[in-house]
Amino acid sequence: MVILSLKMRINPFGLNKLNKASFISAFFVSIVAVIVQFLILNFVYELPFSSYFLLLILEFFGFWIFVYIFLSFILEQFLISRVKELYASIIPTTSYQSMISQSSDFDLITSNLKKINSEKNIEIELLKKEQDYRREFIGNIAHELKTPIFMIEGYILTLLDGVNDKKTVKKYLKQTVKGIDRLNFVIKDLDLITQFESGMTKLNLTSFNILETIENVFELLEMQAKENKIVLKMDKPYKTPIVVKADEERIHQVLTNLIVNSLKYGIEQGVTEVSIEILVENKILVRIADNGDGIDEEHLPRLFERFYRIDKTRNRSQGGSGLGLAIVKHIIEAHQEKIFVESEAKVGSEFSFSLTLDQNSSL
Ligand SMILES: Nc1ncnc2c1ncn2[C@@H]1O[C@H](COP(=O)(O)OP(=O)(O)OP(=O)(O)O)[C@@H](O)[C@H]1O
Ligand SMILES: [Mg+2]
């Protein structure tokens, strides 16, 4: 109410800026017209003022109204049609265009223009960021592919130059195969990430016992764990099956990537322990904890970015390309689940992710 009465006092007729300008201009034009008429009647025709006083007053108001209507009509037609043309060229097909065409209110048009401007600025910023991201991504791919290609090229050129010793030939050929394997890994991972990012991956949701999947991954990585002198174990014996609803193959991959990391970045005589706990009513949390190198806090926010590695020289010897955790995150998020990481340098790391229990699971 206070605001309304204040507005009425400042702008009694509720006029917009364009109308106000016409209103004031019409007032001054009418005054000038009436003064000119007064001067003519008084000095040229020498008529007594009282004989035309009322006429002048009526003429003043009549003139004011007429000039006001005329001016606002002309200004609106002329200015707004120009402004609309201008907007149409800036924003060919957006909702604003219809808003503008419906309105001849300059205040509204100005606020719309400001809104469009800030939206365009945000769009430009996003496009710039995407461009940087793409450039960095392509650079990373080139780097990842270059290393094994140079390696393969080096061995093949040496072999072509002629190596007589059979043992050396075999060794070089083995290294070449290793390089090709590496290329295959990177390309497979990149393909998977691209599929996830373009939303092309469809999950094959089934009900399965997560304990069996963990067991399978343990068996698969048994040799690598022995080589790295790390023990793989569950935190306790789980007697009843824990049936979850998810894509088994993908969850197998998540567990493999996380456990392989715990082996790669673990310490000799270390332990990788997997545990399962109930998170809420129908959700469980699968934890993979190790007592390895650990990760400094500053790296944690960027850990799941593709190609992100902490110590590039150390990891190079482990052969990682920094895609493993990015894939893990994509898989978990495609399941509408969450992944967490807690880690402390020189103490160890714990990666955990949620999964949804099958409705009939008795956990
Ligand atoms: N359990 C862990 N302990 C210590 N550091 C880890 C652990 N897991 C991941 N990291 C760090 O996070 C980085 C990213 O891991 P990620 O699995 O994405 O890549 P990668 O292992 O280097 O390569 P890839 O998995 O593609 O073969 C690793 O380079 C490593 O430095
Ligand atoms: Mg990895």
Side-chain angles (χ1 to χ4, degrees), residues 15 23 39 80 124 165 235 275 297:
L15 300 175
F23 195 75
L39 292 176
I80 290 186
I124 290 168
D165 179 23
D235 65 324
S275 57
E297 211 184 323

PDB file of all heavy atoms in Angstrom, residues 15 23 39 80 124 165 235 275 297:
ATOM      1  N   LEU A  15       2.159   6.460 -15.856  1.00  0.00           N
ATOM      2  CA  LEU A  15       2.722   6.524 -17.208  1.00  0.00           C
ATOM      3  C   LEU A  15       4.107   5.891 -17.268  1.00  0.00           C
ATOM      4  O   LEU A  15       4.857   5.968 -16.303  1.00  0.00           O
ATOM      5  CB  LEU A  15       2.862   7.988 -17.629  1.00  0.00           C
ATOM      6  CG  LEU A  15       1.570   8.819 -17.668  1.00  0.00           C
ATOM      7  CD1 LEU A  15       1.905  10.267 -17.977  1.00  0.00           C
ATOM      8  CD2 LEU A  15       0.615   8.269 -18.702  1.00  0.00           C
ATOM      9  N   PHE A  23       4.061  13.545 -22.383  1.00  0.00           N
ATOM     10  CA  PHE A  23       3.187  14.331 -21.514  1.00  0.00           C
ATOM     11  C   PHE A  23       3.816  15.693 -21.209  1.00  0.00           C
ATOM     12  O   PHE A  23       3.171  16.741 -21.364  1.00  0.00           O
ATOM     13  CB  PHE A  23       2.977  13.528 -20.226  1.00  0.00           C
ATOM     14  CG  PHE A  23       1.845  14.005 -19.375  1.00  0.00           C
ATOM     15  CD1 PHE A  23       0.518  13.755 -19.738  1.00  0.00           C
ATOM     16  CD2 PHE A  23       2.097  14.688 -18.199  1.00  0.00           C
ATOM     17  CE1 PHE A  23      -0.524  14.176 -18.940  1.00  0.00           C
ATOM     18  CE2 PHE A  23       1.055  15.121 -17.395  1.00  0.00           C
ATOM     19  CZ  PHE A  23      -0.261  14.871 -17.760  1.00  0.00           C
ATOM     20  N   LEU A  39      -0.213  36.694 -27.466  1.00  0.00           N
ATOM     21  CA  LEU A  39       0.522  37.843 -27.991  1.00  0.00           C
ATOM     22  C   LEU A  39      -0.161  38.389 -29.253  1.00  0.00           C
ATOM     23  O   LEU A  39      -0.289  39.611 -29.412  1.00  0.00           O
ATOM     24  CB  LEU A  39       1.974  37.446 -28.301  1.00  0.00           C
ATOM     25  CG  LEU A  39       2.849  37.122 -27.086  1.00  0.00           C
ATOM     26  CD1 LEU A  39       4.230  36.640 -27.520  1.00  0.00           C
ATOM     27  CD2 LEU A  39       2.993  38.332 -26.165  1.00  0.00           C
ATOM     28  N   ILE A  80       9.655   2.266 -31.112  1.00  0.00           N
ATOM     29  CA  ILE A  80       9.521   0.847 -30.766  1.00  0.00           C
ATOM     30  C   ILE A  80       9.670  -0.041 -31.991  1.00  0.00           C
ATOM     31  O   ILE A  80      10.268  -1.106 -31.917  1.00  0.00           O
ATOM     32  CB  ILE A  80       8.218   0.603 -30.003  1.00  0.00           C
ATOM     33  CG1 ILE A  80       8.397   1.250 -28.636  1.00  0.00           C
ATOM     34  CG2 ILE A  80       7.885  -0.877 -29.872  1.00  0.00           C
ATOM     35  CD1 ILE A  80       7.349   1.044 -27.654  1.00  0.00           C
ATOM     36  N   ILE A 124      28.450 -17.387 -23.607  1.00  0.00           N
ATOM     37  CA  ILE A 124      29.796 -17.203 -24.172  1.00  0.00           C
ATOM     38  C   ILE A 124      30.845 -17.815 -23.245  1.00  0.00           C
ATOM     39  O   ILE A 124      31.754 -18.520 -23.682  1.00  0.00           O
ATOM     40  CB  ILE A 124      30.079 -15.699 -24.422  1.00  0.00           C
ATOM     41  CG1 ILE A 124      29.210 -15.224 -25.581  1.00  0.00           C
ATOM     42  CG2 ILE A 124      31.553 -15.449 -24.728  1.00  0.00           C
ATOM     43  CD1 ILE A 124      29.152 -13.732 -25.766  1.00  0.00           C
ATOM     44  N   ASP A 165      70.336 -61.745 -33.408  1.00  0.00           N
ATOM     45  CA  ASP A 165      70.075 -62.582 -32.247  1.00  0.00           C
ATOM     46  C   ASP A 165      68.571 -62.857 -32.089  1.00  0.00           C
ATOM     47  O   ASP A 165      67.760 -61.925 -31.955  1.00  0.00           O
ATOM     48  CB  ASP A 165      70.641 -61.847 -31.011  1.00  0.00           C
ATOM     49  CG  ASP A 165      70.391 -62.637 -29.753  1.00  0.00           C
ATOM     50  OD1 ASP A 165      70.209 -63.857 -29.863  1.00  0.00           O
ATOM     51  OD2 ASP A 165      70.365 -62.007 -28.662  1.00  0.00           O
ATOM     52  N   ASP A 235      36.356 -57.368   4.897  1.00  0.00           N
ATOM     53  CA  ASP A 235      36.581 -56.969   6.302  1.00  0.00           C
ATOM     54  C   ASP A 235      36.084 -58.040   7.276  1.00  0.00           C
ATOM     55  O   ASP A 235      36.572 -58.136   8.398  1.00  0.00           O
ATOM     56  CB  ASP A 235      35.909 -55.626   6.606  1.00  0.00           C
ATOM     57  CG  ASP A 235      34.400 -55.683   6.510  1.00  0.00           C
ATOM     58  OD1 ASP A 235      33.897 -56.416   5.620  1.00  0.00           O
ATOM     59  OD2 ASP A 235      33.725 -55.005   7.301  1.00  0.00           O
ATOM     60  N   SER A 275      34.589 -53.729   2.150  1.00  0.00           N
ATOM     61  CA  SER A 275      33.522 -53.932   3.136  1.00  0.00           C
ATOM     62  C   SER A 275      32.210 -53.402   2.588  1.00  0.00           C
ATOM     63  O   SER A 275      32.193 -52.575   1.677  1.00  0.00           O
ATOM     64  CB  SER A 275      33.875 -53.227   4.443  1.00  0.00           C
ATOM     65  OG  SER A 275      34.087 -51.866   4.189  1.00  0.00           O
ATOM     66  N   GLU A 297      45.146 -33.822   0.008  1.00  0.00           N
ATOM     67  CA  GLU A 297      43.797 -33.253  -0.055  1.00  0.00           C
ATOM     68  C   GLU A 297      43.586 -32.371  -1.290  1.00  0.00           C
ATOM     69  O   GLU A 297      42.516 -32.382  -1.891  1.00  0.00           O
ATOM     70  CB  GLU A 297      43.563 -32.436   1.219  1.00  0.00           C
ATOM     71  CG  GLU A 297      42.106 -32.456   1.630  1.00  0.00           C
ATOM     72  CD  GLU A 297      41.850 -31.574   2.823  1.00  0.00           C
ATOM     73  OE1 GLU A 297      42.723 -31.520   3.712  1.00  0.00           O
ATOM     74  OE2 GLU A 297      40.786 -30.942   2.849  1.00  0.00           O
TER      75      GLU A 297
END
